[in-house]
Amino acid sequence: MAPTTPTPRPARPGPAWWREAVVYQVYVPSFADSDGDGIGDLRGITDRLDHLAGLGVDALWLTPFYPSPWADGGYDVSDYRDVDPRHGTLDDFRELAAGARALGLKLIVDIVPNHCSDQHPWFVEALASPPGSPARDRFVFRDGQGPDGSLPPADWQSKFGGGAWTRVPDGQWYMHIFAAEQPDLNWENAEVLADFQDTLRFWLDLGVDGFRVDVAHGLRKDLEPPLRDTHGWDAAPLNSPPQGDDHPFWDRDEVHEIYRAWRKIIDTYDPPRIAVAEAGVSAARLPLYTRPDELHQAFNFFFLRCPWTASDLRRVINTSLTDAHAVGTLPTWVLSNHDVVRHRSRYGLPQDTDLTAWLATDGTAPAAPAADDALGARRARAAALLTLALPGSAYLYQGEELGLPEVADLPPQALRDPMWERSGHALKGRDGCRVPLPWTRSGTSYGFGPAGSWLPQPDNWGDHAVEAQRGRPGSFLELYREALSLRGRFRGDETFAWLHSQEGELAFRKGGLECRVNLSGRPLPLPTAAPVLLASGPVEDGILAPDTTAWTLAAHT
């Protein structure tokens, strides 16, 4: 539904720009390809900056674009201070940074400190060096158990399936929380600490505005002998044990020493720069990462995983706001990213759906239900307005502004996620949310690039394209553009209050904006005091349909 008042130009963020920023995640391989090799690159992003500026976001976050063998889509880094040739050059990065700056867009880059590539020069040197050498001390090498050392040093499990230890020819084992091609770094090693501080300075000096810290809760480990077994703790990816459990490699208190040192470096730069933690920890532990002398933000996975019910959402919103306020910050809000099934598809499935089973059947019955795409689309639109009305930062995943669904039926031969092989083809992995974006209605890759794409795009991908949605009333793209523009009108007032609501409804005020979300399954009347500014679906005769969100001016505005 179109606004009933002229759409104001968004206010630009102030010095603490991150507190209410809208950050757009660019999954670099799948955003735009400028050279026709089928893989996204930095020039492709530069060529499409007008889309991001026109959308109304404040910043873009780039997933890794560093030199990498691509065992895990770039999260296996072999050089932290350069650009992978498949993505371009350092000059291309400088051009992208300058282009973003000219449009008033902040630039955040991924940093991957928990592990590197097995082709990183340090690890190559470690393999060529003897046990106990300084080169091996940069990593977590240990002797095995058993009379001949043929058993792993501990029962630690990889997040990508199988054990977290791989044996090398001389008999020692090295640790990798993820793929074997991603050896964990030893963050008790002074050389590792110093080198990453130099990496921060390198990119800050090139003008980046912040960092997204990958696996922020995993850097420090309890490496005192004998290593402690986990006995199955934390079998699920990015799920640390509850508060009080002393896990040997997740969410250890020692990790905060690293971020205090990083914060001192970041604070020496002006204008202000930031860091945001990817920390899959308990709600009680998450605020520790955003204390005033540590990182600025942390991703809110509780909101992303929250069921589509009024009671669950209210609980998560309350907890998120309370915990963030306790350390003087605001929450982040995110619905999708490059590691999860896209929320349009999730919202179209029963809430108890096993998404692993759903993907394993290519998104079809009988082993798992088929998604109700119309329902998922309505809820995705409603969730977008809910997310953008909350105080704090919103992180958008590329393509959600187009309403892209998960591509659940990628053929096995196309899958690139290391989970597929390491799980013995039991886990299809994350490729379905990483399919390259459609920019045009037609073409060999729907405008993604001049040739094909590294993951196959569905035949109907052009229906979701930017070209197909731009200027079309009621499209996902125009809803996001209108919402982001209106959001800027209410920037700066962080006050929040719940309003009287009906059963199955969320109703709250953020500054001068009121937001109402109907999750009841039945039509609900809207208050008549103020006209609707924007709604995720039709509002007729003052009635808010199920799975619909409406924004109105607060009564005192």
Side-chain angles (χ1 to χ4, degrees):
M1 182 177 188
T4 57
T5 57
T7 301
R9 190 173 183 81
R12 300 312 302 169
W17 56 269
W18 59 89
R19 288 184 68 90
E20 292 190 278
V22 177
V23 183
Y24 186 100
Q25 180 189 355
V26 172
Y27 185 71
V28 175
S30 298
F31 188 73
D33 169 28
S34 70
D35 59 12
D37 66 355
I39 298 172
D41 48 46
L42 299 184
R43 286 188 179 182
I45 300 167
T46 302
D47 292 343
R48 298 291 187 178
L49 284 175
D50 58 338
H51 172 72
L52 302 183
L55 188 60
V57 302
D58 301 304
L60 59 154
W61 147 36
L62 305 182
T63 60
F65 50 85
Y66 316 113
S68 166
W70 245 40
D72 182 24
Y75 281 91
D76 49 317
V77 180
S78 57
D79 184 346
Y80 287 90
R81 299 175 207 158
D82 204 350
V83 175
D84 192 298
R86 62 169 62 89
H87 298 314
T89 66
L90 274 174
D91 282 340
D92 292 334
F93 179 84
R94 293 184 181 97
E95 182 180 350
L96 170 57
R101 192 178 306 114
L103 292 171
L105 296 169
K106 303 290 186 181
L107 183 61
I108 297 170
V109 300
D110 237 307
I111 189 167
V112 188
N114 178 72
H115 50 266
C116 65
S117 166
D118 63 351
Q119 296 184 33
H120 190 287
W122 276 4
F123 195 73
V124 173
E125 181 186 0
L127 291 181
S129 302
S133 63
R136 288 211 173 175
D137 189 58
R138 298 178 184 130
F139 300 90
V140 183
F141 277 88
R142 290 296 183 271
D143 293 331
Q145 300 186 82
D148 58 355
S150 62
L151 299 176
D155 72 345
W156 300 354
Q157 295 297 298
S158 163
K159 300 297 95 185
F160 287 168
W165 298 93
T166 290
R167 201 175 192 191
V168 299
D170 61 30
Q172 277 204 312
W173 299 72
Y174 70 89
M175 180 190 180
H176 50 89
I177 295 180
F178 296 95
E181 296 87 350
Q182 296 169 287
D184 277 39
L185 290 155
N186 175 18
W187 276 88
E188 294 181 6
N189 182 287
E191 192 174 359
V192 171
L193 271 71
D195 192 73
F196 268 89
Q197 291 179 10
D198 288 344
T199 293
L200 293 180
R201 294 187 183 97
F202 177 86
W203 293 107
L204 289 166
D205 290 344
L206 281 178
V208 307
D209 298 286
F211 301 95
R212 177 264 192 185
V213 185
D214 186 61
V215 196
H217 60 310
L219 275 56
R220 289 296 299 269
K221 285 88 175 172
D222 179 3
L223 300 177
E224 290 297 316
L227 298 181
R228 293 182 290 125
D229 285 344
T230 62
H231 305 290
W233 288 357
D234 190 22
L238 293 177
N239 241 350
S240 75
Q243 182 184 19
D245 282 345
D246 183 21
H247 195 280
F249 58 83
W250 284 138
D251 190 31
R252 299 194 60 78
D253 287 339
E254 301 94 325
V255 77
H256 299 285
E257 301 168 5
I258 298 168
Y259 301 132
R260 291 188 186 99
W262 287 14
R263 180 63 179 261
K264 289 178 181 178
I265 293 170
I266 291 170
D267 282 351
T268 64
Y269 285 80
D270 187 64
R273 319 293 171 88
I274 70 160
V276 54
E278 183 212 28
V281 303
S282 65
R285 297 279 295 178
L286 190 62
L288 300 180
Y289 290 80
T290 57
R291 287 175 289 192
D293 62 342
E294 295 194 38
L295 305 180
H296 300 74
Q297 294 181 330
F299 285 139
N300 189 345
F301 294 118
F302 308 102
F303 187 72
L304 181 152
R305 296 170 178 153
C306 187
W308 185 250
T309 71
S311 58
D312 286 306
L313 284 164
R314 185 181 181 112
R315 172 182 51 79
V316 167
I317 291 168
N318 274 335
T319 301
S320 301
L321 289 168
T322 299
D323 290 347
H325 289 162
V327 290
T329 188
L330 287 171
T332 63
W333 311 102
V334 58
L335 296 170
S336 283
N337 61 38
H338 65 292
D339 286 329
V340 300
V341 171
R342 285 186 176 272
H343 61 274
R344 173 173 179 162
S345 295
R346 295 199 319 267
Y347 286 149
L349 290 163
Q351 293 180 4
D352 60 352
T353 297
D354 181 339
L355 293 174
T356 299
W358 181 73
L359 287 173
T361 63
D362 292 344
T364 61
D372 183 337
D373 185 64
L375 175 65
R378 287 198 304 274
R379 289 179 172 177
R381 293 169 63 88
L385 292 196
L386 164 62
T387 300
L388 293 172
L390 291 165
S393 295
Y395 280 75
L396 312 181
Y397 179 48
Q398 67 175 43
E400 73 171 80
E401 81 279 15
L402 305 178
L404 293 185
E406 184 80 359
V407 183
D409 59 351
L410 287 172
Q413 63 272 20
L415 298 178
R416 301 287 295 272
D417 193 320
M419 288 186 186
W420 175 243
E421 294 297 336
R422 287 189 61 85
S423 67
H425 298 177
L427 300 176
K428 209 169 181 185
R430 302 158 292 175
D431 289 326
C433 67
R434 301 175 175 185
V435 174
L437 294 188
W439 293 93
T440 58
R441 290 186 177 91
S442 59
T444 54
S445 62
Y446 301 102
F448 168 67
S453 59
W454 69 281
L455 285 172
Q457 299 161 301
D459 291 340
N460 67 345
W461 218 225
D463 297 339
H464 299 289
V466 174
E467 181 184 58
Q469 296 195 44
R470 184 183 290 122
R472 194 182 83 212
S475 69
F476 264 91
L477 178 58
E478 293 306 321
L479 175 71
Y480 270 77
R481 286 165 57 101
E482 292 171 1
L484 289 172
S485 183
L486 273 171
R487 190 179 192 270
R489 175 175 174 178
F490 303 98
R491 187 192 300 273
D493 189 339
E494 299 174 358
T495 59
F496 177 89
W498 291 108
L499 303 173
H500 175 73
S501 60
Q502 302 163 81
E503 183 178 356
E505 179 188 36
L506 289 179
F508 60 86
R509 174 182 298 170
K510 188 270 181 185
L513 177 69
E514 288 189 4
C515 178
R516 294 180 182 274
V517 190
N518 182 359
L519 301 102
S520 71
R522 66 188 188 282
L524 294 176
L526 284 171
T528 58
V532 172
L533 296 173
L534 183 64
S536 63
V539 175
E540 298 178 0
D541 300 324
I543 300 298
L544 191 63
D547 299 311
T548 304
T549 299
W551 288 0
T552 64
L553 283 176
H556 66 275
T557 303

